[in-house]
Amino acid sequence: DAKTTQPNSMESNEEEPVHLPCNHSTISGTDYIHWYRQLPSQGPEYVIHGLTSNVNNRMASLAIAEDRKSSTLILHRATLRDAAVYYCILRVSYGGATNKLIFGTGTLLAVQP
Amino acid sequence: DTGVSQDPRHKITKRGQNVTFRCDPISEHNRLYWYRQTLGQGPEFLTYFQNEAQLEKSRLLSDRFSAERPKGSFSTLEIQRTEQGDSAMYLCASSFPPRLAGGYNEQFFGPGTRLTVL
């Protein structure tokens, strides 16, 4: 699985947008970009995923660079409940046989009131 | 609550003892995964089941570790002769097969079992 690089930590103020970067320079054409987050004392939870086009859902937006070597998770208005470790993960999809997630160390997001 | 559940939530044991953890996935999910997470690290994949078949095992899963999913529903993870290095959070996740999930099998995680080996 290709490797991702994320900052160890970031800080944000409540109700401000947050841009969490991820570099994945060795991404291949079949790698999907996934984001999960882990709130304190909980298991990880899915945030968003994409392949080439930017994606939006109720939790966040995912902006993917044109060359796909980097992506950015965007939280439009951070809340205190968004304080978590955010993981950027690449995973190959084998026609539906996707399985394990390979987590890195993620970015610890602190949200200040 | 229809999420993934794990039991127990915490386990303290002495080195050399055997421990067993249970995971109950979301009922419609046929895929089940086990991960291990140590402090400050992301979760590491251990093993994966599709229905009752164990389809992949990590090299992290030494001979002391065994996982089962006998009827394709709940799963157990057993660690024999525990060592202090086994202290970690053990996470279980489940998912639909992609063909039932619009092509993507988002994994739903349980709260984990925290193991402390003294």
Side-chain angles (χ1 to χ4, degrees), chain A residues 27-71:
Chain A
I27 192 170
S28 72
T30 53
D31 284 343
Y32 281 76
I33 302 159
H34 309 259
W35 286 82
Y36 279 71
R37 73 178 186 181
Q38 188 171 22
L39 280 67
S41 302
Q42 295 188 26
E45 65 175 349
Y46 168 81
V47 177
I48 201 166
H49 79 283
L51 183 61
T52 56
S53 303
N54 294 345
V55 184
N56 299 298
N57 67 19
R58 64 176 179 81
M59 288 181 72
S61 295
L62 177 60
I64 301 173
E66 196 169 335
D67 62 6
R68 301 209 324 124
K69 293 184 184 297
S70 65
S71 60

Coordinates of all heavy atoms in Angstrom, one line a residue, chain A residues 27-71:
Chain A
I27 N 1.0 7.5 -4.9 CA -0.3 7.0 -5.2 C -0.4 6.4 -6.6 O 0.2 6.9 -7.6 CB -1.4 8.1 -5.0 CG1 -2.8 7.5 -5.0 CG2 -1.3 9.2 -6.1 CD1 -3.9 8.5 -4.6
S28 N -1.1 5.3 -6.7 CA -1.3 4.7 -8.1 C -2.7 5.0 -8.6 O -3.6 5.5 -7.8 CB -1.1 3.2 -8.0 OG -2.2 2.6 -7.4
G29 N -3.0 4.8 -9.8 CA -4.2 5.1 -10.4 C -5.5 4.5 -9.8 O -6.6 5.0 -9.9
T30 N -5.3 3.3 -9.1 CA -6.4 2.6 -8.6 C -6.6 2.8 -7.1 O -7.4 2.2 -6.4 CB -6.2 1.1 -8.8 OG1 -4.9 0.7 -8.3 CG2 -6.4 0.8 -10.3
D31 N -5.7 3.7 -6.5 CA -5.8 4.0 -5.0 C -6.9 5.0 -4.8 O -6.9 6.1 -5.3 CB -4.5 4.5 -4.5 CG -3.4 3.5 -4.4 OD1 -3.7 2.3 -4.4 OD2 -2.2 3.9 -4.3
Y32 N -7.8 4.6 -3.9 CA -8.8 5.5 -3.3 C -8.2 6.3 -2.1 O -7.4 5.7 -1.4 CB -10.0 4.8 -2.9 CG -11.0 4.5 -4.0 CD1 -10.7 3.4 -4.9 CD2 -12.1 5.2 -4.3 CE1 -11.6 3.1 -5.9 CE2 -13.0 4.9 -5.3 CZ -12.7 3.8 -6.1 OH -13.5 3.5 -7.2
I33 N -8.6 7.5 -1.9 CA -8.1 8.3 -0.8 C -9.3 8.3 0.2 O -10.4 8.7 -0.1 CB -7.8 9.7 -1.2 CG1 -6.7 9.7 -2.3 CG2 -7.4 10.6 0.0 CD1 -6.7 11.0 -3.1
H34 N -8.9 7.8 1.4 CA -9.9 7.7 2.5 C -9.5 8.5 3.7 O -8.3 8.7 4.0 CB -10.0 6.3 3.0 CG -10.2 5.2 1.9 ND1 -11.5 4.7 1.6 CD2 -9.3 4.7 1.1 CE1 -11.3 3.8 0.6 NE2 -10.0 3.8 0.3
W35 N -10.5 9.1 4.4 CA -10.2 9.7 5.7 C -11.1 9.1 6.7 O -12.3 8.9 6.5 CB -10.5 11.2 5.6 CG -9.5 12.0 4.8 CD1 -9.3 12.1 3.5 CD2 -8.4 12.8 5.4 NE1 -8.3 12.9 3.1 CE2 -7.7 13.3 4.3 CE3 -8.0 13.0 6.7 CZ2 -6.5 14.1 4.5 CZ3 -6.9 13.8 6.9 CH2 -6.2 14.4 5.8
Y36 N -10.5 8.8 7.8 CA -11.2 8.3 9.0 C -10.7 9.2 10.2 O -9.6 9.9 10.1 CB -10.8 6.9 9.4 CG -11.6 5.8 8.6 CD1 -11.3 5.6 7.3 CD2 -12.6 5.0 9.2 CE1 -12.0 4.6 6.5 CE2 -13.3 4.1 8.5 CZ -13.0 3.9 7.2 OH -13.7 2.9 6.5
R37 N -11.5 9.3 11.2 CA -11.1 10.1 12.4 C -11.4 9.2 13.6 O -12.2 8.4 13.6 CB -11.8 11.4 12.5 CG -13.2 11.4 12.8 CD -13.8 12.8 12.9 NE -15.2 12.8 13.4 CZ -15.9 13.9 13.6 NH1 -15.3 15.1 13.3 NH2 -17.1 13.8 14.1
Q38 N -10.6 9.5 14.7 CA -10.7 8.8 15.9 C -10.9 9.8 17.0 O -9.9 10.5 17.4 CB -9.6 7.8 16.1 CG -9.7 6.9 17.3 CD -8.7 5.9 17.4 OE1 -7.6 6.0 16.8 NE2 -9.0 4.8 18.1
L39 N -12.1 9.9 17.6 CA -12.3 10.7 18.8 C -11.7 10.1 20.0 O -11.5 8.8 20.0 CB -13.8 11.0 18.9 CG -14.4 12.0 18.0 CD1 -14.4 11.6 16.6 CD2 -15.8 12.4 18.5
P40 N -11.4 10.8 21.0 CA -10.8 10.2 22.2 C -11.6 9.1 22.8 O -12.8 9.2 22.9 CB -10.8 11.4 23.2 CG -10.7 12.6 22.3 CD -11.6 12.3 21.1
S41 N -10.9 8.0 23.1 CA -11.5 6.8 23.7 C -12.6 6.1 22.8 O -13.5 5.4 23.4 CB -12.1 7.2 25.1 OG -11.1 7.7 25.9
Q42 N -12.5 6.3 21.5 CA -13.4 5.7 20.6 C -12.7 5.0 19.5 O -11.5 5.2 19.3 CB -14.4 6.7 20.0 CG -15.4 7.3 21.1 CD -16.4 8.2 20.4 OE1 -16.8 7.9 19.3 NE2 -16.9 9.1 21.1
G43 N -13.4 4.1 18.8 CA -12.8 3.5 17.6 C -12.9 4.5 16.5 O -13.6 5.5 16.5
P44 N -12.1 4.3 15.4 CA -12.1 5.2 14.3 C -13.5 5.2 13.6 O -14.3 4.3 13.7 CB -11.1 4.6 13.3 CG -10.2 3.8 14.2 CD -11.1 3.3 15.3
E45 N -13.8 6.4 12.9 CA -15.1 6.4 12.2 C -14.8 7.0 10.8 O -13.9 7.9 10.7 CB -16.1 7.3 12.9 CG -15.8 8.7 13.1 CD -16.9 9.5 13.7 OE1 -18.0 9.0 13.8 OE2 -16.6 10.7 14.1
Y46 N -15.5 6.5 9.8 CA -15.3 7.0 8.4 C -15.7 8.4 8.3 O -16.7 8.9 8.9 CB -16.2 6.1 7.6 CG -16.4 6.6 6.1 CD1 -15.5 6.4 5.2 CD2 -17.6 7.3 5.8 CE1 -15.7 6.8 3.9 CE2 -17.8 7.8 4.5 CZ -16.8 7.5 3.5 OH -17.0 8.0 2.3
V47 N -14.9 9.2 7.5 CA -15.3 10.6 7.3 C -15.7 10.8 5.8 O -16.8 11.2 5.5 CB -14.1 11.5 7.6 CG1 -14.5 13.0 7.3 CG2 -13.7 11.4 9.1
I48 N -14.8 10.4 4.9 CA -15.1 10.7 3.5 C -14.1 9.9 2.6 O -13.0 9.4 3.2 CB -15.0 12.2 3.2 CG1 -15.7 12.6 1.9 CG2 -13.5 12.6 3.2 CD1 -15.9 14.1 1.8
H49 N -14.4 9.7 1.4 CA -13.4 9.1 0.5 C -13.6 9.6 -0.9 O -14.7 10.1 -1.3 CB -13.4 7.5 0.5 CG -14.5 6.9 -0.3 ND1 -15.8 6.9 0.1 CD2 -14.5 6.3 -1.5 CE1 -16.6 6.3 -0.8 NE2 -15.8 6.0 -1.8
G50 N -12.6 9.5 -1.8 CA -12.7 9.9 -3.2 C -11.6 9.3 -4.0 O -10.6 8.7 -3.5
L51 N -11.7 9.4 -5.3 CA -10.7 8.9 -6.2 C -10.0 10.0 -7.0 O -8.8 10.1 -6.9 CB -11.4 7.9 -7.2 CG -10.5 7.2 -8.2 CD1 -9.5 6.3 -7.5 CD2 -11.3 6.3 -9.2
T52 N -10.8 10.8 -7.7 CA -10.2 11.9 -8.5 C -10.9 13.2 -8.3 O -10.2 14.2 -8.2 CB -10.2 11.5 -10.0 OG1 -11.6 11.3 -10.4 CG2 -9.4 10.3 -10.4
S53 N -12.2 13.2 -8.2 CA -13.0 14.4 -8.1 C -13.1 14.8 -6.7 O -13.1 14.0 -5.8 CB -14.4 14.2 -8.7 OG -14.3 13.8 -10.1
N54 N -13.3 16.1 -6.4 CA -13.6 16.6 -5.1 C -14.9 16.0 -4.6 O -15.8 15.8 -5.4 CB -13.6 18.1 -5.1 CG -12.3 18.7 -5.3 OD1 -11.2 18.0 -5.3 ND2 -12.2 20.0 -5.7
V55 N -15.0 15.8 -3.3 CA -16.2 15.1 -2.8 C -16.7 16.0 -1.6 O -15.9 16.5 -0.8 CB -15.9 13.7 -2.3 CG1 -17.1 13.0 -1.8 CG2 -15.2 12.9 -3.4
N56 N -18.0 16.0 -1.4 CA -18.6 16.6 -0.3 C -19.6 15.7 0.4 O -20.3 14.9 -0.3 CB -19.4 17.9 -0.7 CG -18.5 18.9 -1.3 OD1 -17.6 19.4 -0.7 ND2 -18.8 19.2 -2.6
N57 N -19.6 15.7 1.7 CA -20.7 15.0 2.4 C -21.1 15.8 3.7 O -20.6 17.0 3.8 CB -20.4 13.6 2.8 CG -19.2 13.4 3.8 OD1 -18.9 14.3 4.5 ND2 -18.6 12.2 3.8
R58 N -21.9 15.3 4.5 CA -22.4 16.1 5.6 C -21.3 16.4 6.6 O -21.4 17.3 7.4 CB -23.6 15.4 6.3 CG -23.2 14.1 6.9 CD -24.4 13.4 7.7 NE -24.0 12.2 8.3 CZ -23.3 12.1 9.4 NH1 -23.0 13.2 10.1 NH2 -23.0 10.9 9.9
M59 N -20.3 15.6 6.6 CA -19.2 15.8 7.6 C -18.1 16.7 7.1 O -17.6 17.5 7.9 CB -18.6 14.5 8.0 CG -19.5 13.6 8.8 SD -18.6 12.0 9.3 CE -17.4 12.6 10.5
A60 N -17.7 16.6 5.9 CA -16.6 17.3 5.4 C -16.5 17.4 3.9 O -17.4 16.8 3.2 CB -15.3 16.6 5.9
S61 N -15.5 18.0 3.4 CA -15.2 18.0 1.9 C -13.8 17.5 1.7 O -12.9 17.6 2.6 CB -15.3 19.4 1.4 OG -16.6 19.9 1.5
L62 N -13.6 16.8 0.6 CA -12.3 16.3 0.2 C -11.9 16.9 -1.1 O -12.6 16.8 -2.1 CB -12.4 14.8 0.1 CG -11.1 14.1 -0.4 CD1 -9.9 14.3 0.6 CD2 -11.3 12.6 -0.5
A63 N -10.8 17.7 -1.0 CA -10.2 18.3 -2.2 C -9.0 17.5 -2.6 O -8.1 17.3 -1.9 CB -9.8 19.7 -1.9
I64 N -9.0 17.0 -3.9 CA -7.9 16.2 -4.4 C -7.2 16.9 -5.5 O -7.8 17.5 -6.4 CB -8.5 14.9 -5.0 CG1 -9.3 14.1 -3.9 CG2 -7.4 14.0 -5.6 CD1 -10.1 12.9 -4.4
A65 N -5.9 17.0 -5.3 CA -5.1 17.7 -6.3 C -5.2 17.0 -7.7 O -5.5 15.8 -7.8 CB -3.6 17.7 -5.9
E66 N -5.0 17.8 -8.7 CA -5.1 17.3 -10.1 C -4.2 16.1 -10.4 O -4.6 15.2 -11.0 CB -4.9 18.4 -11.1 CG -5.4 18.1 -12.5 CD -5.3 19.4 -13.4 OE1 -5.3 20.5 -12.9 OE2 -5.3 19.2 -14.6
D67 N -3.0 16.2 -9.8 CA -2.1 15.0 -10.0 C -2.3 13.9 -9.0 O -1.6 12.9 -9.0 CB -0.6 15.5 -10.0 CG -0.2 16.1 -8.7 OD1 -1.0 16.1 -7.7 OD2 0.9 16.6 -8.6
R68 N -3.2 14.1 -8.1 CA -3.6 13.2 -7.0 C -2.4 12.9 -6.1 O -2.5 11.9 -5.3 CB -4.1 11.8 -7.6 CG -5.3 12.0 -8.5 CD -6.2 10.8 -8.6 NE -5.6 9.5 -8.5 CZ -5.9 8.6 -7.6 NH1 -6.8 8.8 -6.7 NH2 -5.3 7.4 -7.7
K69 N -1.4 13.7 -6.1 CA -0.3 13.4 -5.1 C -0.5 14.0 -3.8 O 0.3 13.9 -2.8 CB 1.0 13.9 -5.7 CG 1.5 13.1 -7.0 CD 2.8 13.6 -7.5 CE 3.2 12.9 -8.8 NZ 3.4 11.5 -8.6
S70 N -1.6 14.8 -3.6 CA -1.9 15.3 -2.3 C -3.5 15.5 -2.3 O -4.1 15.6 -3.3 CB -1.2 16.6 -2.1 OG -1.7 17.6 -3.0
S71 N -3.9 15.6 -1.1 CA -5.4 15.9 -0.9 C -5.5 16.7 0.5 O -4.6 16.8 1.3 CB -6.2 14.6 -0.8 OG -5.8 13.8 0.3

